[in-house]
Amino acid sequence: CPLGPALLFVKTSQGKEEGRRFYACSACRDRKDCNFFQWEDEKVSETRLAAREEYNRNHQPSFTHRQNVERYKNFLLLPLSKRRFCQECQQLLLPAEWEKHSDHQFLCDISVAQLKSPSQLLYPLENKKTNAQYLFADRSCQFLLDLILDLGFRRVLSVGTPRLHEMIQSKASQEDDFRIRSLLLDIDFRYSQFYTEDEFCHYNMFNHYFFGGEAARETCRKFLYQDNGERVIMVTDPPFGGLVEALASSFKKLMAIWKETEKEGHNNQEMPMFWIFPYFFESRILEFFPSFSMMDYQVDYDNHALYKHGKTGRRQSPVRIFTNLTPSMIVLPAEEGYRFCAICQRYVSSGNQHCEMCNSCTSKDGRRWKHCVLCKKCVKPSWFHCNNCNCCALQNHTCEKSDAGCFVCGKAGHKRSTCPNLSHT
Ligand code: SAH
Ligand code: ZN
Ligand code: ZN
Ligand code: ZN
Ligand code: ZN
């Protein structure tokens, strides 16, 4: 499909062992955005293949990345009064194109500062299920960058983190002694208007597809190889509706590229990584990356009503940092109440109490959790032990009779509608 190789899914229905397998778009969770569909065993005729190829060609952006870089250079040469940005087409306009966009809304006098903050200029693609673009609040972005600096990293592979990339790029161009570099990999091609081919690759993180082909892949490889692959970290903040399995597979491929540097010393190491994702995906992420642990830091967003620091007291964000770095190295800000647990050897949120019985700081959501002796673990403060279900749950839950497990994944503790493994099917 236009977003690169499709993924193989399986349709299962209750009770049946084997489901029928089919290919569908890797990135679009809404059939309205991409309706690619093919049974695994389906024979596709030559004419349909040709039509598909044509369709894919027609659904590529109107300018190539190279052309956009050229356009940007020309745009910079224009006097301020001639620098326009079409809000409807989300495109920098050259004077010859004004005519064509005459009945569109546009911004004028685009300054260099604005060009250096494309994430402010472009509107976030939040409505589309495909992009789910939620930008870091300044506080969180600054925290991530400071952390990366303190840990001594010099290069950041920014996978779906345009705002972090932007912060790094703009500091690098302003401060002489700022040594960090970043390469942005993102599916949002609008960014190609603002970054060169060494700064941005059009990339799909659900199928590890570089739209720019071998040249783009090489850019990424070179970036990871610099200084023998030392002092590089990957930071990613994927759409939360995304399939963890597909993401993990792509991230492992990026890690494998890094590993090929085979520098002595890190033969058995993994490329350092921050994977930013909601806490309720913890078990899924650990399934694919057993070396990871979840940090208590709550990541806040600008355009996400639920996940941001309200003016009136704090809304709790469920988004966390998962990392393969040693947890004790990830220092969380004391001003925000985080403190070090000497037993767990990691920083925890202020409400997170060390439980003697679990021998760990057990809260996942920042509130103080309580230990249930019957469940032999800590549970949310709002839960009570239910003798019917033989586990803790909300007071007003409806008791499950025989098998309390989830219909999708078989695990206990949630129902089908809230299953973290729920995908296309
Ligand atoms: N908090 C981040 C943005 C995260 S939103 C920041 O402020 O920098 C998710 C990002 O992933 C968006 O930039 C979106 O364009 C990108 N994205 C969504 N689907 C993608 C895909 N299939 N492949 C690569 N990037 C994707
Ligand atoms: Zn598609
Ligand atoms: Zn502890
Ligand atoms: Zn406990
Ligand atoms: Zn219990």
Side-chain angles (χ1 to χ4, degrees):
C1 81
L3 298 184
L7 294 183
L8 186 57
F9 293 88
V10 60
K11 253 196 178 83
T12 49
S13 46
Q14 203 169 10
K16 288 213 186 98
E17 275 283 286
E18 295 266 294
R20 194 160 176 203
R21 310 213 288 179
F22 63 95
Y23 293 98
C25 180
S26 58
C28 306
R29 284 168 301 286
D30 195 331
R31 287 278 225 117
K32 282 199 287 282
D33 293 329
C34 177
N35 61 6
F36 186 96
F37 183 92
Q38 185 185 315
W39 293 113
E40 186 188 22
D41 51 11
E42 192 176 335
K43 289 270 176 292
V44 182
S45 68
E46 288 294 323
T47 39
R48 221 178 112 204
L49 271 181
R52 197 182 268 170
E53 271 166 28
E54 159 131 23
Y55 177 87
N56 291 349
R57 264 196 306 279
N58 292 339
H59 281 77
Q60 296 306 324
S62 43
F63 293 111
T64 64
H65 193 170
R66 175 95 20 104
Q67 284 170 325
N68 274 339
V69 172
E70 211 45 50
R71 291 168 59 81
Y72 182 82
K73 281 191 205 147
N74 292 329
F75 191 87
L76 274 178
L77 296 174
L78 296 169
L80 202 59
S81 62
K82 291 200 166 167
R83 293 203 200 139
R84 290 189 182 174
F85 175 76
C86 177
Q87 291 181 296
E88 224 155 302
C89 305
Q90 293 283 295
Q91 190 190 322
L92 298 171
L93 298 181
L94 297 171
E97 297 157 347
W98 290 1
E99 182 80 51
K100 252 198 328 206
H101 300 257
S102 57
D103 51 355
H104 293 174
Q105 293 240 15
F106 59 85
L107 297 172
C108 357
D109 300 340
I110 304 297
S111 65
V112 171
Q114 280 174 296
L115 292 172
K116 289 215 166 106
S117 323
S119 78
Q120 316 263 359
L121 197 58
L122 302 166
Y123 63 73
L125 302 171
E126 55 184 297
N127 299 325
K128 297 191 75 189
K129 271 193 180 170
T130 314
N131 287 272
Q133 214 156 39
Y134 294 109
L135 300 167
F136 293 133
D138 208 46
R139 182 191 77 90
S140 286
C141 203
Q142 192 65 58
F143 164 75
L144 282 170
L145 182 52
D146 288 343
L147 181 60
I148 290 165
L149 277 165
D150 289 344
L151 291 167
F153 290 106
R154 285 295 179 85
R155 274 165 300 128
V156 180
L157 185 65
S158 299
V159 184
T161 54
R163 192 157 267 183
L164 177 65
H165 175 72
E166 171 178 314
M167 193 179 256
I168 295 172
Q169 294 293 103
S170 94
K171 286 202 184 198
S173 70
Q174 279 158 21
E175 299 164 27
D176 278 342
D177 53 351
F178 188 84
R179 294 271 152 69
I180 301 202
R181 293 293 172 264
S182 169
L183 173 65
L184 176 64
L185 307 188
D186 202 287
I187 204 160
D188 185 352
F189 193 65
R190 297 175 306 169
Y191 282 99
S192 70
Q193 299 180 86
F194 306 91
Y195 299 121
T196 66
E197 287 156 295
D198 286 330
E199 296 166 329
F200 169 73
C201 298
H202 191 201
Y203 174 78
N204 183 348
M205 62 168 112
F206 289 115
N207 56 7
H208 188 61
Y209 181 66
F210 285 87
F211 293 79
E214 195 45 48
R217 189 183 292 273
E218 191 55 31
T219 299
C220 178
R221 192 198 319 273
K222 274 209 192 114
F223 183 80
L224 295 177
Y225 277 17
Q226 277 170 44
D227 301 329
N228 280 321
E230 276 180 22
R231 302 214 251 175
V232 61
I233 183 166
M234 172 176 152
V235 181
T236 185
D237 186 9
F240 303 149
L243 292 161
V244 173
E245 188 171 2
L247 291 170
S249 153
S250 298
F251 299 162
K252 282 184 192 222
K253 285 175 185 158
L254 289 170
M255 284 172 148
I257 296 178
W258 174 83
K259 211 167 173 139
E260 283 164 24
T261 47
E262 276 303 346
K263 146 112 182 43
E264 352 89 61
H266 70 215
N267 291 347
N268 291 316
Q269 268 172 271
E270 273 174 359
M271 172 165 71
M273 180 160 138
F274 289 159
W275 178 345
I276 296 162
F277 227 48
Y279 70 81
F280 35 83
F281 283 100
E282 183 182 24
S283 62
R284 285 293 280 166
I285 292 184
L286 296 193
E287 221 176 279
F288 295 101
F289 292 107
S291 63
F292 279 37
S293 35
M294 184 174 88
M295 303 295 100
D296 270 18
Y297 184 78
Q298 300 194 359
V299 179
D300 284 328
Y301 294 84
D302 256 358
N303 57 334
H304 206 302
L306 288 174
Y307 303 171
K308 83 176 172 199
H309 241 22
K311 283 226 169 62
T312 53
R314 186 168 183 157
R315 288 262 208 166
Q316 307 259 352
S317 161
V319 185
R320 305 286 182 270
I321 301 167
F322 293 84
T323 184
N324 49 1
L325 295 174
T326 311
S328 61
M329 287 168 30
I330 314 296
V331 182
L332 305 185
E335 318 84 81
E336 291 174 34
Y338 298 101
R339 62 188 164 75
F340 190 70
C341 173
I343 307 168
C344 295
Q345 283 291 302
R346 68 179 182 100
Y347 287 80
V348 295
S349 56
S350 55
N352 197 356
Q353 290 276 328
H354 190 87
C355 169
E356 303 275 319
M357 259 106 40
C358 297
N359 194 30
S360 99
C361 288
T362 45
S363 171
K364 304 289 180 196
D365 60 12
R367 295 178 299 170
R368 182 178 181 167
W369 284 25
K370 59 182 189 189
H371 193 85
C372 170
V373 279
L374 295 167
C375 291
K376 296 193 182 67
K377 65 176 186 191
C378 283
V379 297
K380 290 185 177 173
S382 51
W383 286 16
F384 295 90
H385 193 83
C386 168
N387 287 321
N388 257 346
C389 299
N390 203 21
C391 69
C392 282
L394 279 172
Q395 189 107 69
N396 60 357
H397 72 287
T398 34
C399 292
E400 299 262 356
K401 298 275 154 39
S402 48
D403 49 350
C406 163
F407 162 60
V408 176
C409 70
K411 284 182 194 143
H414 62 263
K415 301 229 184 91
R416 182 186 185 284
S417 56
T418 53
C419 178
N421 301 316
L422 203 63
S423 63
H424 265 283
T425 48

